[in-house]
Amino acid sequence: MDFLKSIKEKARAAKKTIVLPESLEKRNLEAAATTLKEGFADIVLIGNREEITKAAQEAGGFDVSGATIIDPENYDRYDEMIALFCELRKKKGVTPEQAKKILADPLYFGVMLVKMGVADGMVSGATHPTADVMRPALQIIKTKPGIKTASTFFVMCCDKKEFGDDGVLMFADCTLNQFPDSQQLAEIAVTTADSYAAFCDNEARVAMLSHSTKGSASHEMVDKVVNATKIAQEMRPDIKLDGELQLDAAIVPSVGNQKAPGSPVAGKANVLVFPDIDAGNIGYKLVQRFAGAEAYGPIIQGLAKPVNDLSRGCFANDIVAVIAMTAFEAQLIAE
């Protein structure tokens, strides 16, 4: 069974509600129609019903009649939302008048629907930069207890079955933390290990990547990864995690045996933790474009409730995949 089909079936088994705040945008409307037709999640769209229905028809005759449409101008829980937002932002001194202006932004309105339990998760970013998606998520949803660092992962599915688990690997962090320190990198590693176990139904084997393997190079960037490895191992001794490892030492058995003999991870890693966002972002795109891998994500991990970002260059089928993964993520959080 392929990865996305498996996630959709899991999502369908305990259906969750996902809000798409970019509700007049063509790709979102197509993704909403596909999701509703396949039945793995319920959808909430934000805006005027007539405008959304018209946009869906003009975009390609997409049927979004099964979606719940919430118009902020006529929302019966709007006063409750404003009061809750003011309470959440009281340290910033937000007044009801200021709250109304902020909640006019559909991304803030959508995140508040998640906070209030009207929706179980949100997917956005087709027309907004990552910072605009993350700002309301971090202000309103915040991170899980015990987690300080939200991060992202991609599930990479390639046809080279000798790598990862039958060609499936998880890459982190590729889109959010630009230059994590050792503590943040350790948190990214253990969070991604748990994500791999949940999303991919296999035990994680985490490689902390570097341009060095076990002291082959000396540099402050290497020191950061070495320290992160120690911190992560202390945080979660139950996880198979090792570093610092070069990419080939992490995934090629012969190289791993030569450069890091005795490592529980070298040569067989299925989770790759990159030292910074440059390496992670370039790495996943190289694998996607040069190797033809399917890249599912990015999925934000570490938040108390799921809010996920999209690439502004995404296609409708990319949004469908992130909706399915967000719905499954909501199941995990609810457990």
Side-chain angles (χ1 to χ4, degrees):
M1 182 181 295
D2 67 41
F3 171 77
L4 185 56
K5 183 178 180 181
S6 172
I7 292 295
K8 286 181 177 179
E9 290 193 3
K10 291 175 181 178
R12 194 178 289 112
K15 194 182 295 187
K16 298 296 182 181
T17 299
I18 307 302
V19 58
L20 303 179
E22 296 164 326
S23 301
L24 294 175
E25 199 273 336
K26 177 180 178 179
R27 292 166 294 173
N28 278 276
L29 290 167
E30 182 177 353
T34 300
T35 299
L36 293 167
K37 182 178 180 180
E38 295 187 15
F40 58 81
D42 292 322
I43 296 294
V44 173
L45 301 174
I46 299 172
N48 178 273
R49 178 176 294 275
E50 291 183 2
E51 290 179 0
I52 290 173
T53 301
K54 181 180 178 182
Q57 288 301 311
E58 292 178 348
F62 302 127
D63 182 6
V64 295
S65 59
T68 297
I69 297 177
I70 297 177
D71 187 344
E73 294 186 5
N74 301 297
Y75 187 41
D76 58 3
R77 296 181 65 183
Y78 192 53
D79 289 342
E80 177 188 346
M81 181 183 287
I82 290 172
L84 177 57
F85 186 79
C86 289
E87 175 64 23
L88 293 168
R89 303 295 288 162
K90 64 182 179 181
K91 289 184 178 180
K92 297 294 183 181
V94 173
T95 65
E97 291 72 24
Q98 291 171 325
K100 288 180 182 178
K101 291 181 180 179
I102 294 170
L103 292 172
D105 181 338
L107 271 62
Y108 271 90
F109 190 91
V111 170
M112 283 301 296
L113 291 177
V114 176
K115 181 68 176 180
M116 295 167 66
V118 177
D120 301 296
M122 187 179 92
V123 173
S124 188
T127 62
H128 291 84
T130 296
D132 288 356
V133 177
M134 288 303 301
R135 192 176 300 111
L138 291 173
Q139 289 178 359
I140 297 167
I141 301 297
K142 305 185 184 335
T143 56
K144 294 178 183 177
I147 298 292
K148 295 181 180 179
T149 306
S151 58
T152 66
F153 67 79
F154 278 89
V155 175
M156 306 297 296
C157 300
C158 57
D159 58 10
K160 293 186 176 296
K161 305 300 183 182
E162 66 268 30
F163 298 128
D165 289 319
D166 199 31
V168 177
L169 300 98
M170 192 171 278
F171 289 12
D173 177 4
C174 303
T175 64
L176 191 55
N177 293 280
Q178 290 188 315
F179 194 69
D181 59 24
S182 293
Q183 180 66 42
Q184 292 170 321
L185 203 58
E187 287 196 16
I188 291 167
V190 299
T191 305
T192 309
D194 289 338
S195 292
Y196 190 89
F199 278 83
C200 301
D201 292 325
N202 274 304
E203 182 183 30
R205 302 182 295 277
V206 184
M208 308 294 283
L209 296 183
S210 173
H211 67 276
S212 169
T213 296
K214 299 296 183 178
S216 65
S218 178
H219 191 273
E220 61 183 16
M221 284 290 292
V222 177
D223 294 340
K224 181 182 80 166
V225 178
V226 171
N227 291 334
T229 301
K230 292 177 181 177
I231 294 169
Q233 289 170 338
E234 290 171 0
M235 291 172 65
R236 291 287 300 278
D238 59 305
I239 294 173
K240 289 182 179 178
L241 181 150
D242 200 11
E244 85 284 14
L245 295 171
Q246 292 164 293
L247 188 279
D248 56 353
I251 65 172
V252 180
S254 60
V255 179
N257 289 334
Q258 178 187 10
K259 291 187 174 183
S263 169
V265 170
K268 47 185 176 288
N270 52 23
V271 174
L272 305 181
V273 177
F274 293 85
D276 58 40
I277 197 173
D278 282 336
N281 195 271
I282 292 166
Y284 101 79
K285 288 182 179 179
L286 278 171
V287 175
Q288 181 185 35
R289 302 302 180 184
F290 276 71
E294 294 289 342
Y296 296 111
I299 297 297
I300 300 171
Q301 55 187 357
L303 294 177
K305 292 187 177 183
V307 174
N308 282 313
D309 186 31
L310 298 163
S311 166
R312 279 174 285 174
C314 67
F315 296 98
N317 62 327
D318 297 320
I319 302 176
V320 171
V322 175
I323 291 171
M325 294 174 77
T326 304
F328 178 60
E329 191 178 17
Q331 290 181 16
L332 298 175
I333 289 173
E335 291 178 353

